[in-house]
């Protein structure tokens, strides 16, 4: 806009000077009389009394003098006109050079990132020519193309740094508020504190290629773009994982790795950065400390319950050596002591029944036969329960295989979408 105003002002002043020479030198031979003699047309157009046509001709001369076109149909014919033309050409050339410099500067600033990107691609092309792996080139070009979006996060952080504290908090929650609410121990911190603002500005962007394995680290990760699998769950844009980075005990943290399905753009907050920012903001420390205690107790109870479950499972597996009571110890609600007492009572009954009689003098064979029949019925019932449990387990396995197939198809579709 400034360049346009300068150009209009310059040509207007130059046109007025050129028209003044035609009016003041009317008694002499001027450029206007020369133009009248050399051009055929309406004589009234080239008279000093026609101010509109004279200003139009003067503006025409000023524009082609400023731009350097110089048609040559309007010429100086006197000494004053030559002097005025020299001064106007000198000033106009400097003005036009300044305008062109501004235009070039604006274009170069708007395309500075594109220029640096092209320079990176040139380096990649040189590297690919020296490499024998021809598939490396397309992958590198696609990676650096995706990297342009990652650099945008750094520009946003620099922009937020220049804002006032109140406006800074408002912009932070507009940009990052959708995932801050998903981190429950950050959502308890009031938005008015600068703790959240500085925390988001200290987060580092990262980009990962498809099928890249990301080991478990003490980091809070926000998915900006792409798809990944973390802890057997599909994570997409706006998802958050690594919330247990708040805990110090490694036993309480879940050692889940992450697999990138597509190009994965993350915002990462490392624990050391989190601690350094928290140390500067005493107003947020009580709330984070309370959330830490709550998180540690909840996760500790969960871990202890898992340990007890595994211990009981091992005890159950250790008691499966006896084939007659295996189904009871694994599937029944009866304890091992009750089962052992039952087996002891059956053995004693077998021994005492041989040659023994009841009060009427009759042998006890009939009583033992009835007990053995009941024992066989119990075994048949337990065997049927075991078969039903095995069938249920097989059905669950089939459903798990079906879900894994669905996850695989979703991963393939995500890769195709990323290529489009």
């Amino acid at each position: 806009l400034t360049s346009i105003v300068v150009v209009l002002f310059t040509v207007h002043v130059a046109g007025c000077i050129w028209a003044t020479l035609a009016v003041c030198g009317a008694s002499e031979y001027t450029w206007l009389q020369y133009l009248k003699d050399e051009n055929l047309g309406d004589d009234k157009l080239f008279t000093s009394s026609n101010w509109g046509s004279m200003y139009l001709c003067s503006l025409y001369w000023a524009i082609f003098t400023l731009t350097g076109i110089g048609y040559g149909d309007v010429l100086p014919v006197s000494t004053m006109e030559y002097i005025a033309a020299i001064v106007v050409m000198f000033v106009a050339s400097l003005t036009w050079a300044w305008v062109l410099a501004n235009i070039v500067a604006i274009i170069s600033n708007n395309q500075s990132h594109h220029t640096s990107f092209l320079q990176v691609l040139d380096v990649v092309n040189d590297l690919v020519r020296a490499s024998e792996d021809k598939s490396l080139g397309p992958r590198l070009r696609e990676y650096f193309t995706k990297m342009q979006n990652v650099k945008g996060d750094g520009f946003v952080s620099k922009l937020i740094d220049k804002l006032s504290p109140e406006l800074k908090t408002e912009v932070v929650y507009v940009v990052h508020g959708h995932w801050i609410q998903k981190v429950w121990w950050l959502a308890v911190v009031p938005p008015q504190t600068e703790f959240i603002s500085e925390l988001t500005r200290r987060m580092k962007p990262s980009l990962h290629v498809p099928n890249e394995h990301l080991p478990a680290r003490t980091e809070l990760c926000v998915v900006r773009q792409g798809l990944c699998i973390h802890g057997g769950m599909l994570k997409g844009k706006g998802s958050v994982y690594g919330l247990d980075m708040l805990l110090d005990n490694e036993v309480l943290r879940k050692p889940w790795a992450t697999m990138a399905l597509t190009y994965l753009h993350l915002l990462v907050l490392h624990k050391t950065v989190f601690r350094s920012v928290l140390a500067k903001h005493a107003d947020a420390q009580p709330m984070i400390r309370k959330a830490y205690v709550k998180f540690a107790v909840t996760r500790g109870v969960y871990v202890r319950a898992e340990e007890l479950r595994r211990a009981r499972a091992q005890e159950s597996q250790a008691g499966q050596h006896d084939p007659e009571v295996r189904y009871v110890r694994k599937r029944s609600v009866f304890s091992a002591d009750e089962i052992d007492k039952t087996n002891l009572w059956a053995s004693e009954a077998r021994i005492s029944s041989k040659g023994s009689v009841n009060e009427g003098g009759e042998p006890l064979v009939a009583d033992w036969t009835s007990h053995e029949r009941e024992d066989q019925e119990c075994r048949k019932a337990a065997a049927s329960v075991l078969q039903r449990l095995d069938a249920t387990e097989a059905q669950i396995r089939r459903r798990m295989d079906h879900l894994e197939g669905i996850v695989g198809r979703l991963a393939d579709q995500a890769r195709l979408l990323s290529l489009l």
Side-chain angles (χ1 to χ4, degrees):
L1 181 62
T2 304
S3 300
I4 295 175
V5 172
V6 170
V7 168
L8 293 178
F9 178 76
T10 303
V11 296
H12 171 71
V13 172
C16 292
I17 293 174
W18 196 245
T20 302
L21 293 176
V23 174
C24 296
S27 58
E28 301 178 359
Y29 192 72
T30 63
W31 64 268
L32 186 61
Q33 295 176 356
Y34 172 79
L35 189 63
K36 180 180 179 181
D37 296 339
E38 295 293 330
N39 289 275
L40 299 177
D42 190 2
D43 295 337
K44 296 180 179 179
L45 183 64
F46 305 106
T47 59
S48 58
S49 60
N50 192 348
W51 295 96
S53 62
M54 184 173 58
Y55 177 76
L56 183 63
C57 295
S58 300
L59 194 64
Y60 165 77
W61 174 84
I63 291 175
F64 74 63
T65 302
L66 175 68
T67 57
I69 297 174
Y71 287 116
D73 50 351
V74 180
L75 301 175
V77 294
S78 64
T79 304
M80 288 300 299
E81 290 178 356
Y82 274 106
I83 295 174
I86 293 173
V87 173
V88 169
M89 285 188 290
F90 180 75
V91 175
S93 61
L94 295 179
T95 303
W96 189 243
W98 178 79
V99 170
L100 294 179
N102 286 339
I103 296 174
V104 172
I106 293 172
I107 296 175
S108 61
N109 290 333
N110 291 335
Q111 297 182 351
S112 59
H113 303 300
H114 183 67
T115 303
S116 62
F117 174 66
L118 294 179
Q119 293 175 352
V120 171
L121 290 184
D122 291 338
V123 175
V124 170
N125 293 332
D126 295 338
L127 181 63
V128 171
R129 293 190 192 99
S131 175
E132 297 180 356
D133 188 4
K134 301 302 181 182
S135 63
L136 182 62
R139 286 187 293 159
L140 288 176
R141 295 187 190 95
E142 186 175 5
Y143 179 84
F144 285 107
T145 301
K146 300 290 184 180
M147 185 62 73
Q148 300 300 311
N149 297 329
V150 178
K151 292 181 179 179
D153 290 336
F155 298 145
V156 172
S157 298
K158 293 179 181 178
L159 175 64
I160 294 176
D161 288 338
K162 299 178 181 179
L163 301 177
S164 63
E166 184 176 354
L167 188 59
K168 187 184 300 182
T169 302
E170 184 177 353
V171 173
V172 164
Y173 272 86
V174 169
V175 178
H176 303 284
H178 64 283
W179 65 262
I180 291 177
Q181 300 301 323
K182 298 179 181 180
V183 184
W184 63 270
W185 44 267
L186 283 181
V188 298
V189 180
Q192 293 78 14
T193 62
E194 295 186 4
F195 171 70
I196 299 295
S197 301
E198 185 174 356
L199 203 64
T200 54
R201 287 185 283 114
R202 295 286 296 275
M203 298 180 74
K204 300 297 182 182
S206 63
L207 182 65
H208 304 277
V209 298
N211 299 324
E212 183 175 351
H213 180 267
L214 308 178
R217 299 189 180 97
T218 56
E219 297 174 340
L220 177 67
C221 299
V222 181
V223 180
R224 300 284 287 175
Q225 294 287 342
L227 293 173
C228 66
I229 293 180
H230 177 79
M233 299 180 64
L234 187 65
K235 302 289 185 179
K237 181 179 180 180
S239 300
V240 182
Y241 65 88
L243 274 67
D244 52 3
M245 58 85 69
L246 183 66
L247 303 174
D248 295 328
N249 193 342
E250 294 183 0
V251 179
L252 301 181
R253 293 196 297 266
K254 295 180 179 179
W256 289 347
T258 305
M259 175 67 73
L261 300 179
T262 62
Y263 276 94
L264 188 62
H265 176 195
L266 298 176
L267 278 180
V268 181
L269 175 65
H270 198 270
K271 188 170 185 176
T272 55
V273 177
F274 174 77
R275 286 180 174 177
S276 62
V277 175
L278 183 61
K280 299 178 183 178
H281 300 275
D283 52 348
Q285 292 177 5
M287 290 167 282
I288 296 296
R289 180 62 182 175
K290 184 178 179 180
Y292 170 81
V293 173
K294 181 180 178 181
F295 202 176
V297 171
T298 305
R299 188 61 65 84
V301 171
Y302 174 79
V303 172
R304 182 56 180 167
E306 287 291 323
E307 292 177 353
L308 292 176
R309 185 186 63 81
R310 287 194 295 267
R312 290 178 179 177
Q314 292 175 359
E315 291 177 359
S316 300
Q317 293 176 0
Q320 292 180 356
H321 299 291
D322 189 355
E324 293 185 358
V325 299
R326 173 176 58 84
Y327 67 93
V328 179
R329 290 186 176 177
K330 185 176 181 181
R331 307 290 184 180
S332 177
V333 297
F334 297 105
S335 64
D337 295 335
E338 293 174 344
I339 296 170
D340 293 337
K341 290 179 181 179
T342 304
N343 293 335
L344 180 61
W345 174 82
S347 300
E348 292 176 351
R350 292 190 186 96
I351 296 173
S352 61
S353 65
K354 295 180 180 180
S356 300
V357 294
N358 56 14
E359 295 178 355
E362 297 178 356
L364 296 175
V365 177
D367 295 337
W368 165 247
T369 303
S370 63
H371 288 301
E372 188 175 4
R373 189 182 301 111
E374 292 177 358
D375 188 27
Q376 290 178 357
E377 291 177 357
C378 290
R379 291 183 181 181
K380 290 181 180 179
S384 63
V385 172
L386 181 60
Q387 290 177 358
R388 289 196 297 269
L389 290 174
D390 291 338
T392 304
E393 184 179 0
Q395 185 178 4
I396 292 174
R397 289 184 180 275
R398 288 195 298 270
R399 291 183 179 180
M400 290 296 295
D401 294 338
H402 180 65
L403 290 175
E404 290 179 357
I406 293 176
V407 172
R409 289 193 294 272
L410 288 175
D412 295 338
Q413 293 176 1
R415 292 191 186 96
L416 292 175
L417 291 175
S418 64
L419 295 176
L420 294 177

